[in-house]
Short mmCIF file of all heavy atoms in Angstrom, two decimals:
data_model
loop_
_atom_site.label_atom_id
_atom_site.label_comp_id
_atom_site.label_asym_id
_atom_site.label_seq_id
_atom_site.Cartn_x
_atom_site.Cartn_y
_atom_site.Cartn_z
N LEU X 40 75.62 310.13 55.32
CA LEU X 40 75.38 310.82 56.58
C LEU X 40 76.68 311.27 57.24
O LEU X 40 76.73 312.33 57.86
CB LEU X 40 74.61 309.89 57.53
CG LEU X 40 73.09 310.04 57.49
CD1 LEU X 40 72.43 308.94 58.31
CD2 LEU X 40 72.68 311.40 58.03
N TRP X 48 74.99 318.18 70.97
CA TRP X 48 74.95 318.86 72.27
C TRP X 48 74.48 317.87 73.33
O TRP X 48 73.38 317.31 73.23
CB TRP X 48 73.97 320.04 72.25
CG TRP X 48 74.38 321.20 71.42
CD1 TRP X 48 75.06 322.31 71.81
CD2 TRP X 48 74.09 321.40 70.02
NE1 TRP X 48 75.23 323.18 70.75
CE2 TRP X 48 74.65 322.65 69.64
CE3 TRP X 48 73.44 320.64 69.05
CZ2 TRP X 48 74.55 323.15 68.35
CZ3 TRP X 48 73.36 321.12 67.75
CH2 TRP X 48 73.91 322.37 67.42
N TYR X 69 63.08 330.01 67.15
CA TYR X 69 63.57 329.24 68.30
C TYR X 69 63.29 327.75 68.11
O TYR X 69 62.25 327.35 67.55
CB TYR X 69 62.90 329.70 69.59
CG TYR X 69 63.43 331.02 70.11
CD1 TYR X 69 62.60 332.14 70.19
CD2 TYR X 69 64.75 331.15 70.53
CE1 TYR X 69 63.08 333.36 70.66
CE2 TYR X 69 65.23 332.36 71.01
CZ TYR X 69 64.40 333.46 71.07
OH TYR X 69 64.87 334.65 71.53
N GLU X 147 50.86 319.37 62.81
CA GLU X 147 49.86 320.26 62.24
C GLU X 147 49.94 320.18 60.72
O GLU X 147 51.03 320.22 60.15
CB GLU X 147 50.09 321.70 62.71
CG GLU X 147 48.93 322.62 62.39
CD GLU X 147 49.07 323.99 63.03
OE1 GLU X 147 49.75 324.84 62.40
OE2 GLU X 147 48.50 324.23 64.10
N LEU X 153 45.27 320.11 63.89
CA LEU X 153 46.23 319.42 64.74
C LEU X 153 45.92 317.93 64.77
O LEU X 153 44.80 317.53 65.07
CB LEU X 153 46.19 319.99 66.16
CG LEU X 153 47.21 319.39 67.14
CD1 LEU X 153 48.63 319.78 66.74
CD2 LEU X 153 46.91 319.82 68.57
N GLY X 164 45.00 306.06 69.87
CA GLY X 164 44.71 306.20 68.45
C GLY X 164 45.17 307.54 67.93
O GLY X 164 46.09 308.16 68.45
N ARG X 191 49.77 314.46 53.20
CA ARG X 191 49.22 313.23 53.74
C ARG X 191 49.92 312.93 55.06
O ARG X 191 51.11 313.15 55.22
CB ARG X 191 49.42 312.07 52.76
CG ARG X 191 48.74 312.25 51.43
CD ARG X 191 48.98 311.08 50.50
NE ARG X 191 50.40 310.85 50.28
CZ ARG X 191 50.89 309.82 49.58
NH1 ARG X 191 50.07 308.92 49.06
NH2 ARG X 191 52.19 309.67 49.41
N GLU X 216 50.34 298.32 55.97
CA GLU X 216 51.21 297.25 56.44
C GLU X 216 51.61 296.40 55.25
O GLU X 216 50.78 295.79 54.60
CB GLU X 216 50.49 296.39 57.48
CG GLU X 216 50.10 297.17 58.73
CD GLU X 216 49.43 296.28 59.75
OE1 GLU X 216 49.73 295.08 59.77
OE2 GLU X 216 48.63 296.80 60.53
N PRO X 225 75.36 292.43 51.17
CA PRO X 225 76.16 292.57 52.40
C PRO X 225 76.58 293.99 52.68
O PRO X 225 76.89 294.34 53.82
CB PRO X 225 77.37 291.66 52.12
CG PRO X 225 76.91 290.71 51.07
CD PRO X 225 75.94 291.47 50.23
N SER X 275 74.67 311.40 69.53
CA SER X 275 74.64 311.49 70.99
C SER X 275 74.05 310.24 71.63
O SER X 275 74.37 309.93 72.78
CB SER X 275 73.85 312.73 71.43
OG SER X 275 72.52 312.69 70.96
N ASP X 277 72.02 306.15 70.35
CA ASP X 277 71.36 305.34 69.33
C ASP X 277 69.85 305.29 69.52
O ASP X 277 69.14 304.71 68.69
CB ASP X 277 71.92 303.92 69.35
CG ASP X 277 73.30 303.84 68.71
OD1 ASP X 277 73.61 304.71 67.87
OD2 ASP X 277 74.06 302.92 69.04
N ARG X 300 72.53 317.87 65.25
CA ARG X 300 72.15 318.61 64.04
C ARG X 300 72.99 318.13 62.87
O ARG X 300 74.20 317.91 63.00
CB ARG X 300 72.37 320.11 64.24
CG ARG X 300 71.96 320.95 63.01
CD ARG X 300 72.34 322.41 63.18
NE ARG X 300 73.78 322.57 63.25
CZ ARG X 300 74.40 323.68 63.63
NH1 ARG X 300 73.68 324.73 64.00
NH2 ARG X 300 75.73 323.75 63.66
N PHE X 351 90.03 299.42 41.42
CA PHE X 351 91.05 298.83 40.56
C PHE X 351 92.34 298.77 41.38
O PHE X 351 92.50 299.51 42.35
CB PHE X 351 91.28 299.67 39.30
CG PHE X 351 90.09 299.78 38.40
CD1 PHE X 351 89.08 300.70 38.67
CD2 PHE X 351 89.95 298.97 37.28
CE1 PHE X 351 87.98 300.82 37.84
CE2 PHE X 351 88.85 299.08 36.44
CZ PHE X 351 87.86 300.00 36.71
N VAL X 377 103.60 304.01 32.37
CA VAL X 377 102.31 304.60 32.01
C VAL X 377 101.36 303.49 31.56
O VAL X 377 101.75 302.59 30.82
CB VAL X 377 102.49 305.64 30.89
CG1 VAL X 377 101.13 306.19 30.44
CG2 VAL X 377 103.39 306.79 31.37
N GLU X 381 91.76 300.00 29.02
CA GLU X 381 91.19 299.34 27.85
C GLU X 381 90.15 298.35 28.34
O GLU X 381 90.47 297.34 28.95
CB GLU X 381 92.28 298.63 27.05
CG GLU X 381 93.32 299.58 26.46
CD GLU X 381 94.40 298.84 25.68
OE1 GLU X 381 94.29 297.59 25.56
OE2 GLU X 381 95.34 299.49 25.20
N PHE X 400 104.61 312.89 35.90
CA PHE X 400 103.79 313.64 36.86
C PHE X 400 102.84 314.62 36.18
O PHE X 400 102.03 315.25 36.86
CB PHE X 400 104.70 314.42 37.83
CG PHE X 400 105.43 313.54 38.79
CD1 PHE X 400 106.73 313.11 38.52
CD2 PHE X 400 104.84 313.12 39.97
CE1 PHE X 400 107.42 312.29 39.40
CE2 PHE X 400 105.53 312.32 40.87
CZ PHE X 400 106.82 311.89 40.58
N SER X 407 95.71 319.11 18.39
CA SER X 407 95.88 318.16 17.30
C SER X 407 95.66 316.73 17.75
O SER X 407 95.69 315.81 16.93
CB SER X 407 97.29 318.30 16.69
OG SER X 407 98.28 317.81 17.60
N THR X 409 97.64 315.20 20.07
CA THR X 409 98.88 314.63 20.58
C THR X 409 98.88 314.63 22.10
O THR X 409 98.54 315.64 22.74
CB THR X 409 100.10 315.42 20.07
OG1 THR X 409 100.13 315.36 18.63
CG2 THR X 409 101.40 314.86 20.63
N ALA X 413 105.32 314.71 30.86
CA ALA X 413 106.54 315.22 31.50
C ALA X 413 107.00 314.19 32.51
O ALA X 413 106.27 313.88 33.46
CB ALA X 413 106.29 316.55 32.16
N GLY X 439 112.93 319.28 33.90
CA GLY X 439 112.45 320.16 34.97
C GLY X 439 111.07 320.71 34.74
O GLY X 439 110.71 321.75 35.32
N ALA X 445 97.43 322.42 27.74
CA ALA X 445 97.18 322.89 26.38
C ALA X 445 95.86 323.64 26.36
O ALA X 445 94.88 323.22 26.99
CB ALA X 445 97.14 321.72 25.40
N GLY X 459 108.95 329.78 37.29
CA GLY X 459 108.67 330.40 36.01
C GLY X 459 107.73 329.59 35.16
O GLY X 459 107.46 328.41 35.40
#
Side-chain angles (χ1 to χ4, degrees):
L40 267 172
W48 291 266
Y69 285 116
E147 192 172 84
L153 183 67
R191 298 180 302 175
E216 298 182 29
S275 60
D277 285 336
R300 181 187 64 192
F351 297 81
V377 176
E381 296 179 3
F400 290 95
S407 70
T409 299

